[in-house]
Amino acid sequence: MSPIVISASLVLFKPDLATLERTLLALQEAGRLARQRYSLQLGLSLVDNSDDQAMHEKIAGWLEGFRPKAPDWTLQLVRSPGNIGYGRGNNLAITGTSSDYHIVVNPDLFVDSDALVEALRFMEAHSDVGLLTPAVFGEDGERHYLCKRNPTLLVMFLRSFSPLWLQKKLDFVIHEFEMRDCDYEKPIHPVEYPTGCFMFFRTAPLQKIGGFDPDFFLHYEDADIGRRLLPAARTVYVPAVRVVHQWARDTHRSLSAKLGTVRSGWLYWLKWGGVFKSKPSVEPRTPVASRPLADPVGLRVLVTGANGFIGQALCAVLSSQGCSVRGAVRKKSSNGQAAVSDHWVMGEIDEHTEWAPALVGMDSVVHLAARVHQMRDTAADPLVEFRRVNVALTLNLARQAAKAGVRRFVFVSSVKVNGEATVVGQPFTADDPPKPIDPYGISKFEAEQALIQLAAETGMEVVIVRPVLVYGPGVKANFHAMMRWVLKGVPLPLGALDNQRSFVAVDNVVDLIAVCLRHPQAANQVFLVSDGEDLAVSDLLRRTAAALDRPARLLPVPVFLLRLAGRLLGREPVIQRLCDTLQVDISKTQRLLGWNPPLSVDAALRKTARQLRDE
């Protein structure tokens, strides 16, 4: 088996050799431990930018004496053609390497002994990640908040040149920039502006983008490379990889340092823009290899809620795949009927409904029938009503299904089990601790827990699918109203919304459910489902307008005014859903099931638009 090749570059400018020795000794210990776990080939290029012959000879002599202390690394000293800058100095090593991974490290950075082990563990398990950024601490143990969002002119000014009193007044701006709304004890992605003190790259995407932009001499080259890398590969903060930085901020120390910062900041702004706001970066969609599944022909499936929005689409897809589908409905619908010939009109269903006749001969059940989330609930005690339908009814059906010999029970739950909102950089995952807030989310969570326990008792396989907001032909409620407003050309005060939200087309939901019915790895798992592309509401409206062949008339009303209006008009929950971020990570769904959303956002919006025009 070929070894994993790791190259590294460390740019020097008249270095303190005692500090440099600490840096290399830390790398040596980390390399030694990593080689006990992995077959590795380690090489480090020290790039001397000092532009001083005497200094270069001093470094060379010191390095010859140090080599025996770092036996696990091949060390070489490269002399640059002068003080060419941090980025160009690193590029001397990046351009010619044929390594699997490349590390960029500062000469005053001390990695923990297990840093390379943890970095390799993560990168080898996540082939779509192009850059790992670590948890950084000072020598006093204080955390440095170095996962940052794209900088703006306002942020550049506040961090480098503003008086302290103004920094304190606008500290919330800096906190948002430094992603302090995220939990630094958990992974964060995407990291738009990674720290430059330690960058663990996958070499292929790094070389694909040409390394660092040589126009940046010092400062903001890390912000630039982070932004250029994101379209090609993910950038992830991994808290298990820890380093200590002897960080000495030089921006305020001299006029030349200030001028250098101004030049780099101006260059960055000319390239990327952003005065008060910067457009969020979007991670690349990484399709996974699909896996062959058992032929669905002949699979006998009972679908509850078969006349509903998702139910009709699911029955049509399962029938087209050759499944024998039985649709259970409360009553026949005058507006449409599930695409199955075997209808069972159950009447009003509750926790006492007798399901045995409908379950005869069924291999699987997909349970869609539910009391859905309501913005204006008139029930005296909404939680009691939600529990009666979403918990007691579900468990009654599942118990009878297990007794009837049903092999697999697919329960369509809700992302509200995870919670109501996320911060950009930390989407919900399927394995996060549930944090439901409203009665609907609580009832869905309680149903999930009851089903998991029933699966353990009976052996019936349970699959739980948590969709985000579902849209597509036939969608109702707020999404339908939004599309009609766009179709009519109504100006909407939502142009300033830059929050990120996950959505899912009904075609993608039903495709995943069909996979869950027959994939062996789906048994007794929880899956999140989305389109795999998150959008700001303003972007969604623009793309909806394009699908409808209409102009998007969006007014850039500040978010705080929208929230104030929602409070005054009694529509706060609606405005909250519009303005808050809610993202989900579907990597578990993709990895375990080999599943990719078959329909893109734009294709799904066009399909929805056609149906809206036909109304």
Side-chain angles (χ1 to χ4, degrees), residues 320-343:
S320 70
Q321 292 178 349
C323 297
S324 175
V325 182
R326 179 173 293 168
V329 298
R330 289 188 177 96
K331 59 183 179 180
K332 288 190 175 182
S333 173
S334 59
N335 297 323
Q337 198 70 41
V340 293
S341 57
D342 188 7
H343 283 99

Side-chain angles (χ1 to χ4, degrees), residues 157-171 174 252:
F157 170 74
L158 288 175
R159 295 182 79 228
S160 300
F161 302 107
S162 70
L164 287 177
W165 66 266
L166 185 58
Q167 288 186 10
K168 290 180 180 178
K169 287 287 186 183
L170 299 179
D171 61 349
I174 300 298
H252 296 284

Side-chain angles (χ1 to χ4, degrees), residues 400-582:
Q400 293 186 50
K403 186 176 180 180
V406 167
R407 181 180 59 85
R408 182 166 290 187
F409 190 99
V410 178
F411 177 60
V412 179
S413 184
S414 169
V415 72
K416 282 178 165 286
V417 171
N418 289 79
E420 294 293 326
T422 61
V423 295
V424 175
Q426 288 187 320
F428 287 136
T429 71
D431 297 323
D432 283 342
K435 296 180 180 179
I437 294 175
D438 69 3
Y440 175 70
I442 291 169
S443 70
K444 285 290 191 178
F445 172 59
E446 291 176 352
E448 289 183 7
Q449 295 300 104
L451 289 172
I452 291 169
Q453 182 176 347
L454 182 67
E457 294 171 355
T458 65
M460 180 178 67
E461 297 171 351
V462 168
V463 185
I464 295 166
V465 177
R466 295 178 189 160
V468 292
L469 190 150
V470 184
Y471 67 97
V475 67
K476 301 297 182 184
N478 291 332
F479 202 99
H480 180 263
M482 177 198 75
M483 294 195 74
R484 290 192 63 81
W485 292 336
V486 173
L487 182 64
K488 292 179 178 180
V490 176
L492 298 172
L494 306 175
L497 293 180
D498 61 358
N499 58 321
Q500 296 289 297
R501 293 194 74 90
S502 298
F503 301 93
V504 63
V506 66
D507 298 67
N508 291 333
V509 174
V510 301
D511 185 79
L512 177 64
I513 293 172
V515 169
C516 288
L517 282 169
R518 61 190 195 278
H519 199 298
Q521 296 298 315
N524 303 316
Q525 294 288 343
V526 176
F527 298 109
L528 296 175
V529 57
S530 77
D531 290 331
E533 179 184 2
D534 299 337
L535 299 171
V537 171
S538 56
D539 288 334
L540 173 68
L541 289 166
R542 291 185 185 97
R543 289 164 75 167
T544 299
L548 291 165
D549 197 22
R550 293 285 194 276
R553 294 188 170 92
L554 302 180
L555 306 177
V557 176
V559 173
F560 80 91
L561 288 180
L562 291 176
R563 292 188 185 277
L564 178 61
R567 186 171 299 176
L568 294 175
L569 296 173
R571 303 287 288 173
E572 195 169 6
V574 175
I575 298 300
Q576 182 176 326
R577 295 182 75 183
L578 282 172
C579 297
D580 286 352
T581 287
L582 194 157

Side-chain angles (χ1 to χ4, degrees), residues 123-436:
M123 294 295 277
E124 288 289 287
H126 299 85
S127 60
D128 58 335
V129 175
L131 172 58
L132 179 152
T133 188
V136 184
F137 298 86
E139 291 191 285
D140 58 358
E142 181 181 358
R143 181 186 293 279
H144 292 176
Y145 293 92
L146 298 182
C147 293
K148 300 183 285 291
R149 297 189 168 102
N150 291 327
T152 62
L153 275 183
L154 175 62
V155 166
M156 294 177 190
F157 170 74
L158 288 175
R159 295 182 79 228
S160 300
F161 302 107
S162 70
L164 287 177
W165 66 266
L166 185 58
Q167 288 186 10
K168 290 180 180 178
K169 287 287 186 183
L170 299 179
D171 61 349
F172 64 93
V173 176
I174 300 298
H175 286 185
E176 181 183 6
F177 169 68
E178 294 175 343
M179 302 186 79
R180 296 201 188 197
D181 50 351
C182 292
D183 184 351
Y184 268 69
E185 294 297 329
K186 298 178 181 179
I188 300 172
H189 65 92
V191 179
E192 298 172 332
Y193 180 174
T195 175
C197 67
F198 180 90
M199 309 179 91
F200 195 101
F201 288 99
R202 195 176 302 276
T203 304
L206 174 62
Q207 291 179 331
K208 181 179 179 181
I209 65 170
F212 289 92
D213 184 335
D215 289 341
F216 290 91
F217 182 81
L218 185 66
H219 302 303
Y220 294 107
E221 70 287 326
D222 43 5
D224 175 78
I225 200 169
R227 201 156 184 170
R228 288 190 296 117
L229 184 68
L230 263 179
R234 297 169 64 210
T235 299
V236 181
Y237 162 79
V238 180
V241 180
R242 296 166 62 96
V243 302
V244 173
H245 192 199
Q246 203 182 60
W247 194 60
R249 186 171 178 83
D250 66 351
T251 303
H252 296 284
R253 292 188 175 184
S254 68
L255 178 61
S256 63
K258 286 185 178 182
L259 290 175
T261 301
V262 169
R263 180 189 178 278
S264 292
W266 182 247
L267 178 64
Y268 177 90
W269 185 79
L270 288 176
K271 185 174 182 179
W272 296 106
V275 178
F276 300 106
K277 282 284 186 180
S278 181
K279 188 174 182 178
S281 300
V282 178
E283 287 185 310
R285 293 183 66 180
T286 307
V288 296
S290 60
R291 304 172 187 175
L293 296 177
D295 191 338
V297 173
L299 186 68
R300 295 164 297 182
V301 186
L302 174 68
V303 177
T304 70
N307 274 357
F309 172 45
I310 298 176
Q312 290 190 53
L314 177 63
C315 289
V317 166
L318 294 179
S319 296
S320 70
Q321 292 178 349
C323 297
S324 175
V325 182
R326 179 173 293 168
V329 298
R330 289 188 177 96
K331 59 183 179 180
K332 288 190 175 182
S333 173
S334 59
N335 297 323
Q337 198 70 41
V340 293
S341 57
D342 188 7
H343 283 99
W344 284 66
V345 179
M346 304 293 298
E348 290 303 316
I349 55 176
D350 57 25
E351 65 272 30
H352 304 297
T353 298
E354 177 59 51
W355 291 93
L359 288 165
V360 171
M362 294 295 104
D363 301 308
S364 305
V365 172
V366 178
H367 185 42
L368 291 163
R371 187 176 196 265
V372 298
H373 178 257
Q374 300 177 35
M375 298 301 294
R376 295 178 180 272
D377 202 324
T378 58
D381 189 336
L383 183 55
V384 169
E385 288 303 305
F386 277 117
R387 281 174 168 157
R388 185 179 66 81
V389 178
N390 294 348
V391 182
L393 184 156
T394 298
L395 194 55
N396 174 51
L397 169 61
R399 285 195 181 112
Q400 293 186 50
K403 186 176 180 180
V406 167
R407 181 180 59 85
R408 182 166 290 187
F409 190 99
V410 178
F411 177 60
V412 179
S413 184
S414 169
V415 72
K416 282 178 165 286
V417 171
N418 289 79
E420 294 293 326
T422 61
V423 295
V424 175
Q426 288 187 320
F428 287 136
T429 71
D431 297 323
D432 283 342
K435 296 180 180 179

